[in-house]
């Protein structure tokens, strides 16, 4: 069996956003796979829900990138968004008839299309696009004039907002607005006339709107960010547009990190809510507004698990039961609760690490009869599409996207470990190199170095799979015992557990991580004198914090981290609320204290060789604090290197250019190898920039060193 390598990323396909057809017979989903060093292909596939119809069938062209497949209410069409053409990265709305024929383009709008939703009668599709006031005045949000080229780089760039960039993009006057398109319209002229005639602008204020959700065929609900300064507010208005009268009104206000909506035809609106005070540490719950009575019912407040994850809240086939996802001790659980609050939530299934899903079934079906389509990854595969049948309590696998790849790879099974830290039980996992006895009872012939991984967030949760599957398996294949955990501050273990790092990201988390390291280091196959640490985002913060507090680790790789809380507060997008919420502080009031809570405040104590990895277009953890930390390490004579990835944002490790994703993993391993007594490799600092990497000229992709070999 071959070992997993970083370059294998090019050969791994993953599913996302599965959607169950209205009759429950078929599932549409996205299949994503790298096709070259710069591009990942994303196309819509169709598979029978009972797995009897053979292999999945591709529905859309490979050109461009598809997203958001959505069934029409009658099940005879699928709407999706897609880019088409190398020079146009704007997602547009397309509709594909399943009876035969080509997909029909519905929009040609300047702001791109997202968050699409069919009306219950199948005649209209709501969507969101991000546009300027000039775009609206000139009608470019309805149809783009021939030859129009947007100004992507204003000179100078003038900023008049508290939050002015996000997702690798400056707003530059753009606001997100809600639109409705005629589902039978066509840009290519098939319907005749101006394509703009088939699009209606629903919102037109200097505000951000989103989350469109239909009630009945004439009623559309959506959200609006409100407050004295909406950028600096967590207040959200739920708005209603009545197309029969053309009137729009606010029906309720909530608070939280954005709001998800789900509505019924008789005027019940489910929405998410989190308390506004120090919202970053609050549990998100589910509530229902009854439009007729005006009553709001709290549904999940008694459950110590926050609403969240890749399955959005949705009403079931009976229009009486709500289904939603919640992180739950290293897995995603799907829960159900009566919409009238007459009973407490119950767990329907706990399928693993989920990347989207939908609930369906015959009209009127309740929790005992529904079907759930979902995409999930597990320790032994990076992702497939599944169906869960509640009546039989059975999970069926519909795809085997990586069968050929997995048949030739030695994939290890992580072992769960539970340990105590300051009287609190912590969940973690350890993955051993191929051939090592995972029980640690003497089956290993030699010792192996330990690679410790710390997750981001900080309010997030890791499992045995998901987006880290490939990285964990690669490091294990390179000869490292890999340990990761969900320390206090993580989600999935209750609100008190999440809030345990209040005003103390560093020491509390480090205590938990090191408690786990102590347990794992007792294994006979682990060489505790050869330990390494890495992490991204908050994990980057913690990697830098760790090497400023202890010399336990031989080397560290800190990725897209937060190194100075004051610099982070001033340069990040809306994530500055983490400083206000988690630390109950702002730089103007507590500059010295925030410095002490930052890795930069302890940089003078660092002796551990530390590699810094960052994306140049990261607006979540901007590169400026990494530049500061790197300079401090250099001034202090620490072995360090700064690797910057152009064209990448905060999602580099998950959805960056394939060559960059591979390069990042290889650089982590190469940095560790150079300080490991178990790898016969020179320091990365003693090599050329590309030596030993897949990107090196003349080197075959996938030729990486194994333990004891030179790169």
């Amino acid at each position: 069996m071959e070992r997993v390598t970083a370059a294998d990323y090019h050969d791994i396909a993953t599913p996302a956003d599965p959607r169950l057809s209205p009759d429950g017979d078929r599932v549409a989903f996205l299949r994503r796979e790298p096709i070259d060093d710069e591009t990942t292909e994303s196309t819509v596939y169709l598979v029978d829900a009972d797995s009897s119809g053979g292999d999945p069938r591709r529905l859309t062209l490979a050109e461009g990138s598809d997203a958001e497949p959505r069934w029409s209410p009658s099940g005879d069409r699928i709407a999706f968004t897609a880019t088409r053409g190398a020079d146009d990265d704007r997602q547009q709305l397309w509709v594909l008839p399943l009876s035969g024929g080509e997909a029909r383009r519905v929009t040609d709008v300047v702001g791109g299309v997202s968050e699409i939703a069919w009306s219950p009668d199948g005649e209209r599709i709501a969507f969101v696009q991000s546009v300027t006031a000039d775009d609206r005045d000139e009608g470019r949000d309805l149809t783009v004039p021939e030859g129009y080229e947007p100004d992507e780089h204003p000179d100078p760039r003038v900023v008049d907002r508290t939050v002015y960039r996000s997702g690798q993009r400056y707003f530059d006057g753009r606001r997100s607005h809600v639109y409705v398109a005629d589902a039978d319209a066509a840009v290519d002229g098939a319907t005749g006339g101006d394509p703009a005639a088939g699009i209606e602008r629903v919102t037109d204020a200097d505000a951000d709107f989103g989350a469109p959700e239909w009630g009945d065929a004439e009623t559309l609900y959506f959200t609006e960010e409100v407050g004295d300064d909406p950028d600096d507010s967590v207040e959200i208005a739920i708005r209603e547009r009545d197309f029969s009268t053309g009137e729009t009104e606010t029906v309720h206000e909530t608070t939280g990190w954005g709001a998800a909506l789900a509505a019924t035809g008789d005027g019940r609106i489910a929405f998410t809510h989190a308390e506004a005070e120090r919202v970053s540490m609050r549990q998100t719950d589910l509530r229902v507004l009854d439009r007729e009575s005006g009553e709001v019912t709290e549904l999940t407040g008694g459950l110590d698990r926050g609403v969240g994850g890749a399955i959005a809240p949705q009403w079931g086939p009976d229009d009486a039961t709500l289904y939603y996802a919640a992180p739950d001790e290293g897995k995603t659980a799907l829960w159900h609760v009566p919409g009238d609050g007459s009973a407490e939530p119950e767990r329907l299934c706990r399928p693993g690490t989920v990347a989207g899903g939908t609930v369906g079934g015959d009209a009127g079906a309740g929790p005992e009869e529904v079907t759930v389509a979902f995409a999930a990854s597990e320790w032994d595969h990076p992702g497939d599409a599944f169906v869960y049948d509640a009546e039989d309590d059975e999970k069926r696998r519909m795809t085997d996207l990586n069968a050929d790849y997995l048949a030739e790879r030695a994939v290890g099974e992580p072992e769960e470990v539970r340990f105590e830290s300051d009287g609190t039980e912590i969940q973690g996992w350890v993955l051993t190199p191929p051939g090592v006895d995972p029980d640690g009872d003497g089956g290993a012939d030699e010792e192996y170095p330990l690679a410790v991984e710390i997750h981001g967030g900080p309010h997030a949760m890791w499992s045995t799979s998901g987006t880290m599957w490939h990285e964990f398996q690669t490091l294990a294949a390179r000869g490292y015992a890999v340990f990761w955990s969900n320390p206090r501050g993580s989600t999935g273990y209750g609100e008190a557990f999440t809030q345990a790092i209040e005003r103390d990201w560093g020491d509390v988390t480090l205590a938990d991580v090191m408690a786990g390291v102590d347990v794992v280091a007792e294994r006979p196959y682990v060489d505790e004198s050869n330990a390494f640490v890495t992490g991204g985002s908050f994990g980057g913060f913690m990697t830098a914090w760790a090497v400023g507090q202890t010399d336990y680790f031989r080397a560290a790789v800190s990725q897209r981290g937060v190194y100075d809380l004051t610099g982070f507060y001033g340069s990040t997008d809306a994530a500055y609320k983490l400083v206000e919420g988690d630390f109950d502080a702002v730089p103007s009031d507590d500059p010295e204290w925030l410095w002490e809570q930052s890795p930069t405040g302890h940089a003078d104590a660092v002796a551990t060789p530390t590699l810094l990895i960052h994306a140049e277009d990261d607006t979540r953890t901007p590169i400026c604090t990494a530049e500061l930390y790197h300079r401090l390490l250099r001034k202090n004579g620490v072995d360090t290197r700064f690797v910057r990835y152009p064209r990448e944002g905060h999602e580099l490790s998950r959805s960056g250019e394939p060559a960059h994703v591979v390069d990042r993993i290889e650089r982590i391993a190469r940095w560790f190898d150079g300080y490991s007594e178990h790898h016969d490799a020179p320091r990365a600092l003693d090599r050329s920039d590309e030596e030993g990497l897949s990107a090196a000229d003349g080197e075959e992709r996938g030729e990486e060193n194994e333990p004891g070999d030179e790169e």
Side-chain angles (χ1 to χ4, degrees):
M1 298 286 282
E2 298 180 29
R3 293 190 176 204
V4 175
T5 71
D8 287 354
Y9 182 79
H10 290 273
D11 304 318
I12 296 172
T14 54
D17 206 1
R19 294 282 158 169
L20 194 65
S21 63
D23 60 11
D25 290 343
R26 295 166 293 175
V27 175
F29 67 95
L30 296 173
R31 183 184 187 275
R32 296 172 175 164
E33 184 175 16
I35 57 174
D36 56 37
D37 282 349
E38 291 80 34
T39 311
T40 297
E41 179 181 285
S42 177
T43 49
V44 181
Y45 275 71
L46 191 65
V47 65
D48 291 335
D50 62 4
S51 305
S52 64
D55 293 335
R57 175 168 62 95
R58 192 170 76 184
L59 293 181
T60 59
L61 300 174
E63 179 188 4
S65 180
D66 299 341
E68 298 188 42
R70 298 293 184 267
W71 292 90
S72 66
S74 58
D76 61 341
R77 293 162 290 167
I78 291 178
F80 60 98
T81 70
T83 60
R84 291 289 185 267
D87 298 328
D88 190 353
D89 63 354
R90 297 170 299 144
Q91 296 284 131
Q92 301 295 339
L93 177 62
W94 297 70
V95 173
L96 175 68
L98 294 179
S99 58
E102 297 294 327
R104 171 173 39 84
R105 182 169 172 172
V106 176
T107 66
D108 182 19
V109 294
V110 71
V113 172
S114 64
E115 300 184 57
I116 63 176
W118 285 90
S119 63
D121 59 6
E123 294 184 1
R124 290 177 283 191
I125 302 172
F127 65 90
V128 172
Q129 64 168 316
S130 187
V131 294
T132 66
D134 285 344
D135 290 331
R136 301 196 302 277
D137 290 344
E138 299 296 327
R140 293 188 293 263
D141 59 335
L142 304 179
T143 184
V144 179
E146 185 176 353
Y148 172 75
E149 294 185 6
D151 181 8
E152 296 290 348
H153 303 285
D155 183 9
R157 174 170 273 124
V158 179
V159 175
D160 291 317
R161 294 182 59 175
T162 304
V163 177
Y164 54 89
R165 60 183 183 175
S166 183
Q168 296 180 245
R169 188 179 189 186
Y170 285 84
F171 297 152
D172 293 329
R174 287 183 289 264
R175 295 279 192 176
S176 56
H177 284 272
V178 176
Y179 297 78
V180 169
D182 181 346
D184 291 326
V187 166
D188 61 11
T191 59
D194 185 350
I199 299 177
E200 178 179 351
R201 184 186 298 128
V202 177
T203 60
D204 197 20
D206 187 25
D208 285 295
F209 302 85
E213 174 74 12
W214 294 90
D216 59 30
E218 295 297 325
T219 307
L220 182 68
Y221 303 102
F222 52 90
T223 62
E224 178 185 358
E225 296 179 6
V226 295
D228 293 338
D229 177 358
D231 288 342
D232 195 37
S233 170
V234 293
E235 300 172 38
I236 300 164
I238 301 175
R239 307 268 279 162
E240 175 190 273
R241 175 63 172 264
D242 185 338
F243 286 94
S244 64
T245 64
E247 298 295 320
T248 301
E249 64 175 311
T250 297
V251 298
H252 191 66
E253 290 195 2
T254 183
T255 53
W257 283 109
L261 305 181
T264 63
D266 61 359
R268 286 169 294 139
I269 312 162
F271 61 94
T272 52
H273 172 87
E275 293 298 323
E277 184 178 0
R278 303 184 67 183
V279 67
S280 66
M281 304 195 75
R282 298 291 187 175
Q283 177 170 294
T284 297
D285 288 309
L286 194 60
R287 296 179 173 182
V288 168
L289 167 69
D290 187 317
R291 287 287 288 118
E292 183 175 348
S293 67
E295 181 181 352
V296 174
T297 303
E298 171 70 70
L299 301 183
T300 62
L303 180 67
D304 200 14
R305 292 289 186 273
V307 175
I311 301 179
Q314 54 201 269
W315 291 94
D318 60 2
D319 268 355
T321 308
L322 276 160
Y323 298 83
Y324 66 94
D328 186 21
E329 298 191 12
K331 292 189 176 182
T332 301
L334 186 64
W335 297 76
H336 63 88
V337 61
D340 61 4
S342 58
E344 292 296 313
E346 293 185 22
R347 194 165 69 189
L348 180 69
C349 57
R350 195 163 171 259
T353 303
V354 173
T358 50
V359 178
D362 295 334
E368 299 81 12
E369 305 162 296
V370 296
T371 300
V372 185
F374 61 93
S377 58
E378 298 165 299
W379 74 264
D380 58 347
H381 68 90
D384 273 303
F386 294 83
V387 161
Y388 172 77
D389 189 325
E391 191 169 5
D392 299 331
D393 191 24
E394 178 183 73
K395 182 175 74 172
R396 298 191 303 274
R397 188 172 187 163
M398 295 183 293
T399 65
D400 203 350
L401 301 181
N402 299 285
D404 293 341
Y405 168 79
L406 294 171
E408 299 175 350
R409 296 298 188 280
V411 174
E413 180 177 2
E415 175 198 354
E416 182 187 40
V417 291
R418 298 268 184 167
F419 54 92
E420 281 202 358
S421 176
D422 293 338
T424 301
E425 184 181 71
I426 307 296
Q427 182 183 30
W429 295 268
V430 60
L431 178 64
T432 60
V436 177
D437 180 1
D439 294 327
D441 57 3
D445 295 328
E446 58 181 302
E447 291 184 325
Y448 295 86
L450 178 66
V452 178
E453 294 258 14
I454 306 174
H455 74 57
H459 308 305
M461 181 189 74
W462 264 352
S463 67
T464 59
S465 50
T467 57
M468 294 301 296
W469 182 92
H470 179 225
E471 183 173 322
F472 291 161
Q473 293 288 340
T474 298
L475 287 175
R478 299 267 301 212
Y480 292 88
V482 187
F483 167 69
W484 65 97
S485 62
N486 288 322
R488 281 173 291 175
S490 304
T491 55
Y493 302 87
E495 190 169 40
F497 192 95
T498 300
Q499 295 176 350
I501 60 170
E502 179 181 8
R503 292 178 64 83
D504 191 355
W505 277 6
D507 286 344
V508 173
T509 306
L510 186 60
D512 292 357
V513 170
M514 296 308 296
V517 168
D518 289 343
V519 170
V520 174
E522 294 176 356
R523 308 291 172 90
Y525 56 81
V526 174
D527 180 0
E528 65 174 325
S529 67
N530 275 259
F532 304 86
V533 64
T534 187
S537 195
F538 170 71
F541 171 100
M542 280 308 308
T543 297
W545 183 267
V547 297
Q549 307 297 319
T550 177
D551 60 0
Y552 183 87
F553 300 103
R554 278 182 172 262
V557 180
S558 183
Q559 308 169 59
R560 63 187 192 282
V562 174
Y563 303 99
D564 171 42
L565 290 171
T566 294
F568 171 70
Y569 184 90
S571 59
T572 186
D573 52 21
Y576 74 92
K577 288 292 184 182
L578 281 168
V579 178
E580 295 181 353
D582 282 30
F583 290 94
D584 194 22
V586 294
S588 57
D589 293 339
D590 300 288
E592 293 182 2
W593 185 76
L594 285 174
W595 178 258
E596 285 298 314
Q597 297 300 312
S598 302
T600 47
H602 306 273
D604 59 348
V606 177
T608 305
T610 302
L611 172 68
L612 299 182
I613 289 176
H614 222 101
E616 292 190 340
D617 294 335
D618 192 334
T619 59
R620 178 57 47 85
T621 58
I623 201 169
C624 59
T625 72
E627 292 169 329
L628 171 62
Y629 189 68
H630 176 249
R631 180 158 295 166
L632 293 175
L633 295 185
R634 294 280 301 177
K635 293 279 285 184
N636 292 336
V638 177
D639 280 7
T640 187
R641 173 172 282 173
F642 194 10
V643 179
R644 304 164 61 111
Y645 290 94
R647 303 180 304 280
E648 299 288 4
H650 198 63
E651 296 301 302
L652 162 63
S653 64
R654 293 176 279 266
S655 58
E657 294 178 13
H660 285 165
V661 174
V662 171
D663 186 81
R664 182 191 64 86
I665 297 177
E666 289 181 344
R667 288 185 185 274
I668 294 170
R670 189 176 73 156
W671 189 263
F672 289 172
D673 290 351
Y675 297 95
S676 168
E677 293 180 347
H678 299 269
H679 293 73
D680 186 12
R683 299 183 313 163
L685 293 174
D686 297 329
R687 302 167 141 196
S688 67
D689 181 49
E690 293 186 340
E691 183 185 349
L693 301 175
S694 294
D697 290 339
E699 183 171 346
E700 291 294 325
R701 180 165 60 85
E703 287 188 0
E704 304 174 57
N705 78 307
E706 294 186 1
D709 295 340
E710 289 246 4
E711 287 186 339

